[in-house]
Amino acid sequence: IYTETAIPNILTEALSVSFDAHVGHDYIEDTDDRYEFYHKVENKIPFDLDFMNKITNGGTPAKTLNIIMAGTGVGKSLFLCHHAANCLLQNLNVLYITCEMAEEKIAERIDANIGDITLDDLRDLPYEMYRRKIDNATKGVSGKLIIKEYPTATANANHFRNLLDELNLKKQFKPDIIFIDYLNICASSRLKAGGNTNSYMYVKSIAEELRGLAVEKNVPVFSATQVNRTGFASSDF
């Protein structure tokens, strides 16, 4: 039985029939393809922070899940917002999913990064000066930034897939990078929280599902995880 809300998915599936001739890597016949793969320069999205580029060897490649790990209140969301702003200014399409703060709060932090201004000064700016600062900073930028909020601990990788399909269908928007703020307050599409599932297995399941999303959509995914008090005090998290 199909409902009205299923119609877009039915149409999308009907129009996405493909005849993929690739059924695996033939070791003997695909030697040239393999050699080309060995010498292919990996396309990476760089940071605007020299040290991050150094430790990642030039940035983050597609099909990867990248986790920022820190204690409470250290600045995980601040880093994600900073890098999202940087990616937008690189003319990339950016999707920022927030499971904690409101969409406007995330946009406010990105405004502060793009406008090179503190949050306090941002709130005190007159409207004309605010528009001029943001317009000047984003002049010539061809990328888009979409921010989507979900209630805490309710959204999983399947919700994010549906969002990507909706954005593609309604806005012709395909992200080059996805930020999910943050890992520990997402839900798992396979496991149910509580009961016989311990927190380690639950978060591990979420991480695997987000990595699968990164591979499926061929984009880097950035998220963050929180270190407990014992881990934060340790020399090795």
Side-chain angles (χ1 to χ4, degrees):
I1 299 172
Y2 294 112
T3 62
E4 290 181 3
T5 55
I7 291 174
N9 287 335
I10 296 168
L11 289 172
T12 302
E13 289 172 9
L15 294 171
S16 63
V17 175
S18 66
F19 299 94
D20 188 0
H22 180 73
V23 289
H25 179 83
D26 189 310
Y27 183 78
I28 303 297
E29 294 185 5
D30 294 339
T31 305
D32 289 347
D33 292 341
R34 192 161 64 251
Y35 184 82
E36 186 179 337
F37 171 79
Y38 294 158
H39 296 85
K40 182 179 179 182
V41 178
E42 195 170 30
N43 187 28
K44 293 184 175 182
I45 295 178
F47 298 87
D48 63 342
L49 303 167
D50 291 339
F51 186 72
M52 291 299 291
N53 282 326
K54 183 177 181 180
I55 63 176
T56 58
N57 196 25
T60 47
K63 300 183 179 181
T64 56
L65 174 62
N66 306 273
I67 302 294
I68 303 301
M69 185 163 61
T72 306
V74 172
K76 297 184 295 295
S77 294
L78 282 174
F79 177 86
L80 294 177
C81 289
H82 175 90
H83 192 36
N86 165 52
C87 290
L88 176 64
L89 296 179
Q90 291 183 55
N91 298 315
L92 300 174
N93 283 337
V94 181
L95 174 60
Y96 197 110
I97 295 170
T98 170
C99 299
E100 186 176 35
M101 284 187 285
E103 294 168 359
E104 293 80 8
K105 283 289 184 183
I106 297 297
E108 181 184 37
R109 292 183 174 198
I110 291 172
D111 269 348
N113 273 280
I114 287 178
D116 193 23
I117 188 173
T118 67
L119 289 172
D120 289 337
D121 289 342
L122 176 66
R123 296 185 188 106
D124 293 335
L125 275 182
Y127 173 74
E128 292 78 9
M129 191 177 293
Y130 162 75
R131 280 306 304 260
R132 187 162 58 249
K133 182 175 279 289
I134 299 302
D135 288 347
N136 288 339
T138 58
K139 188 176 182 180
V141 171
S142 59
K144 282 188 177 182
L145 169 62
I146 303 291
I147 305 167
K148 173 63 178 175
E149 177 187 0
Y150 287 96
T152 301
T154 62
N156 60 49
N158 287 337
H159 293 95
F160 305 151
R161 280 189 182 86
N162 290 337
L163 172 63
L164 289 165
D165 290 340
E166 289 281 310
L167 288 170
N168 187 26
L169 196 66
K170 296 177 179 177
K171 288 181 172 285
Q172 291 75 55
F173 174 87
K174 287 186 177 181
D176 298 302
I177 187 168
I178 300 173
F179 293 85
I180 300 173
D181 192 1
Y182 61 98
L183 181 74
N184 295 59
I185 54 175
C186 292
S188 170
S189 61
R190 298 175 295 169
L191 299 181
K192 192 172 183 179
N196 297 325
T197 307
N198 62 46
S199 59
Y200 172 80
M201 290 301 298
Y202 191 70
V203 174
K204 178 176 180 288
S205 177
I206 296 169
E208 289 169 348
E209 291 159 17
L210 295 186
R211 170 76 201 289
L213 181 67
V215 172
E216 179 187 329
K217 300 301 180 181
N218 194 31
V219 296
V221 171
F222 265 86
S223 191
T225 190
Q226 191 164 295
V227 181
N228 61 25
R229 190 172 287 122
T230 306
F232 187 65
S234 172
S235 60
D236 185 10
F237 280 174

